[in-house]
Amino acid sequence: MLKYIHLSDELESGIRNGTFRQGSKLPSIQTLAKQYGYSKSTVLAALNELMRRHMIYSVSRSGYYVVQKSSRGEGKEPAMIDFATSAPDPELFPYLDFQHCINKAIDMYKNDLFLYGTPQGLPSLIKVMRQQLAESQVFALERSIVITSGVQLALAVLTLLPFPNGKQTILIEQPGYHLYIDHLRTHRLPVQGIYRTAQGIDMHRLEELFKTGDIKFFYTIPRLHSPLGASYTPQQKKEIVALAHKYDVYVVEDDYMADLEQDGKSDPLFAYDTDSRVIYLKSFSKIIFPGLRVGIVVLPDPLNEPFIRYKRSIDIDSSMLSQGALEIYIQSGMFARHKEQLRSLYFSRAKRLDAALRRESERSEGIFHYDPSKYPGIHTHLVLGEHLSVPQIIKQSKKRSILLEPMDKHYWPGYLQRNLIKLNASHVSEERIDTGIAQLADILRSLKA
């Protein structure tokens, strides 16, 4: 990486995490050169790069200042401490970089982006995706990779598609991904649930369901589960894949948080699959922005042609403009830089959230239980005492400017809902995480009394 790019990334991280506050003046060029050990010309190039990114501006004979975002209310923090929203923080979206990639994609591909594309996806993007997937220990042939309009479409096609095992029932985790639950309910499909906790799932129960439940596929989020935030251990992943092979069941692995993983030794289920039982899904909604409707599916050979045929009957192709822009975004190195910045920022928030919850759980006197992780994620959950009412907690929290969301929509009808509260820090600045968790703990203690 060029020195000035490395320095601009360092400075941008400082702006993102509050080291350099909005509206404040940056240290002088001479000071930055001494602090980071770079030449003045390198520092100046880095500052020019930050101006291009609209992160700072210069004032003649005064220096460089951090841009003050109007969405923050002229430098004031938002009124609510939002632990409910799971979408990425809009202030972290790579607007300018992606705009540049869209313009370049139009120049490069011209009319090709405005015509119907191939059902499998833009061939040049598929080549790039194969390389990206390999970085996550997903080694796939190009013919096995299909581009879809988001993971939601991929799930819809897989649910509709007849599988080689001839089975009908979809097995889902409880709690689980609420939008897929909505899809299954809307289409009145046969569903079984299996309870999941921070410790994982009951493997004996999973084997029983695989053996007797006519399970077509098991839909699971092994890594940084939504909404629990927990991950399976390597041993649990191996057991799931082995049971799938033993009982002729497929596993649909939704690895939507793969790019935000902090554990370098954490591999997907796909990496343990030697029998073509795992269907791998990847999304960019949490790492770039939700409006980029591009999903990746890696399919076993028997499902490849039928999947493309069924997909085409629902959606002729995924946006060629989005695919072309994403290809350029990845190839240019912009994606790698953005991913590293976001991972660093989110991990910093995750550690702050983890520390605050550990601290308050030690004082909780059984009011709630928090199960810490070796690699904390940007979202997690609390297990509440049975005497506490989640609706009452949400109501009291709102009065104290803390936004929470119930777990109801994450459960299939008829499944017992555990007394849980989910917490997501993607929209909460580090300094406000401590305040929010301390106030939430106070609310829980007051409701117990």
Coordinates of all heavy atoms in Angstrom, one line a residue, residues 171 194 201-213 215 239 242-244 246-247 249:
L171 N -35.7 -26.5 7.7 CA -35.3 -26.4 9.1 C -34.7 -25.1 9.4 O -33.7 -24.7 8.7 CB -34.4 -27.6 9.5 CG -33.9 -27.6 11.0 CD1 -35.1 -27.8 11.9 CD2 -32.9 -28.7 11.2
I194 N -35.4 -25.4 15.3 CA -34.5 -25.9 16.3 C -33.9 -24.8 17.1 O -33.5 -23.8 16.6 CB -33.4 -26.8 15.7 CG1 -32.5 -27.4 16.8 CG2 -32.5 -26.0 14.7 CD1 -31.6 -28.5 16.3
I201 N -26.5 -25.3 19.2 CA -27.7 -26.1 19.1 C -27.5 -27.5 19.7 O -26.4 -27.9 19.8 CB -28.2 -26.3 17.6 CG1 -27.2 -26.8 16.7 CG2 -28.8 -24.9 17.1 CD1 -27.6 -27.1 15.3
D202 N -28.6 -28.2 20.0 CA -28.5 -29.5 20.5 C -28.3 -30.5 19.4 O -29.2 -30.7 18.5 CB -29.9 -29.8 21.2 CG -29.9 -31.2 21.9 OD1 -29.1 -32.1 21.4 OD2 -30.7 -31.4 22.8
M203 N -27.1 -31.1 19.3 CA -26.7 -31.9 18.2 C -27.6 -33.2 18.1 O -27.9 -33.7 17.1 CB -25.3 -32.2 18.2 CG -24.4 -31.1 17.9 SD -24.6 -30.4 16.2 CE -23.7 -28.9 16.3
H204 N -28.0 -33.7 19.3 CA -28.8 -34.9 19.3 C -30.2 -34.6 18.7 O -30.8 -35.4 18.0 CB -29.0 -35.4 20.8 CG -27.7 -35.9 21.4 ND1 -27.0 -37.0 20.9 CD2 -27.0 -35.4 22.4 CE1 -25.9 -37.2 21.6 NE2 -25.9 -36.3 22.5
R205 N -30.7 -33.4 19.0 CA -32.0 -33.0 18.5 C -31.8 -32.7 16.9 O -32.7 -33.1 16.2 CB -32.5 -31.7 19.1 CG -33.7 -31.0 18.6 CD -34.9 -32.0 18.7 NE -36.1 -31.4 18.1 CZ -37.2 -32.1 17.8 NH1 -37.2 -33.4 17.8 NH2 -38.3 -31.4 17.3
L206 N -30.7 -32.2 16.5 CA -30.5 -32.0 15.1 C -30.4 -33.3 14.4 O -31.1 -33.4 13.3 CB -29.2 -31.2 14.9 CG -28.8 -30.9 13.4 CD1 -29.8 -29.8 12.9 CD2 -27.4 -30.4 13.3
E207 N -29.8 -34.3 14.9 CA -29.7 -35.6 14.3 C -31.1 -36.2 14.2 O -31.5 -36.8 13.2 CB -28.8 -36.5 15.1 CG -28.6 -37.9 14.4 CD -27.5 -38.7 15.0 OE1 -27.0 -38.4 16.1 OE2 -27.2 -39.7 14.3
E208 N -31.9 -36.1 15.3 CA -33.2 -36.6 15.3 C -34.1 -36.0 14.2 O -34.8 -36.7 13.4 CB -33.9 -36.4 16.6 CG -35.3 -36.9 16.8 CD -36.0 -36.5 18.1 OE1 -35.3 -36.0 19.0 OE2 -37.2 -36.7 18.2
L209 N -34.0 -34.7 14.0 CA -34.7 -34.0 13.0 C -34.3 -34.4 11.6 O -35.0 -34.6 10.6 CB -34.6 -32.5 13.2 CG -35.4 -31.9 14.3 CD1 -35.0 -30.4 14.6 CD2 -36.9 -32.0 14.1
F210 N -32.9 -34.5 11.4 CA -32.4 -34.9 10.1 C -32.9 -36.3 9.8 O -33.1 -36.6 8.6 CB -30.9 -34.8 10.1 CG -30.3 -33.5 9.9 CD1 -31.0 -32.3 9.9 CD2 -28.9 -33.4 9.7 CE1 -30.5 -31.1 9.6 CE2 -28.3 -32.1 9.5 CZ -29.1 -31.0 9.4
K211 N -32.9 -37.2 10.8 CA -33.3 -38.6 10.5 C -34.8 -38.8 10.3 O -35.1 -39.6 9.4 CB -32.9 -39.4 11.8 CG -33.1 -40.9 11.7 CD -32.5 -41.6 12.9 CE -32.7 -43.1 12.8 NZ -32.2 -43.8 14.0
T212 N -35.6 -38.0 10.9 CA -37.1 -38.3 10.9 C -37.9 -37.1 10.3 O -39.1 -37.3 10.1 CB -37.6 -38.6 12.3 OG1 -37.5 -37.4 13.1 CG2 -36.8 -39.7 12.9
G213 N -37.3 -36.0 10.1 CA -38.1 -34.8 9.8 C -38.3 -34.4 8.4 O -38.8 -33.3 8.1
I215 N -36.3 -33.4 6.2 CA -35.6 -32.1 6.0 C -35.0 -31.9 4.7 O -34.0 -32.6 4.3 CB -34.6 -31.8 7.1 CG1 -35.2 -32.0 8.5 CG2 -34.0 -30.5 7.0 CD1 -36.4 -31.1 8.8
E239 N -19.7 -31.3 13.0 CA -20.8 -32.2 13.3 C -22.0 -31.9 12.4 O -22.6 -32.9 12.0 CB -21.1 -32.1 14.8 CG -20.1 -32.6 15.7 CD -20.5 -32.6 17.2 OE1 -21.7 -32.7 17.4 OE2 -19.7 -32.3 18.0
A242 N -21.3 -33.3 9.0 CA -21.3 -34.8 9.0 C -22.7 -35.4 9.1 O -23.0 -36.4 8.4 CB -20.4 -35.3 10.2
L243 N -23.5 -34.7 9.9 CA -24.9 -35.2 10.0 C -25.7 -35.0 8.7 O -26.5 -35.8 8.3 CB -25.6 -34.5 11.1 CG -25.2 -34.9 12.5 CD1 -25.8 -33.9 13.6 CD2 -25.6 -36.3 12.8
A244 N -25.4 -33.9 8.0 CA -26.0 -33.6 6.7 C -25.7 -34.7 5.7 O -26.5 -35.2 4.9 CB -25.6 -32.2 6.2
K246 N -24.7 -37.8 6.4 CA -25.2 -39.0 6.9 C -26.7 -39.2 6.6 O -27.2 -40.3 6.2 CB -25.0 -39.2 8.4 CG -25.5 -40.5 9.0 CD -25.2 -40.5 10.5 CE -25.7 -41.8 11.1 NZ -25.4 -41.9 12.6
Y247 N -27.5 -38.1 6.7 CA -29.0 -38.2 6.5 C -29.5 -37.6 5.2 O -30.7 -37.3 5.1 CB -29.7 -37.7 7.7 CG -29.4 -38.5 9.0 CD1 -28.5 -38.0 9.9 CD2 -30.0 -39.7 9.2 CE1 -28.2 -38.8 11.1 CE2 -29.7 -40.5 10.3 CZ -28.8 -40.0 11.3 OH -28.6 -40.7 12.4
V249 N -29.2 -34.5 3.9 CA -29.8 -33.2 4.1 C -28.8 -32.2 3.5 O -27.6 -32.3 3.7 CB -30.1 -33.0 5.6 CG1 -30.5 -31.5 5.8 CG2 -31.1 -33.9 6.1

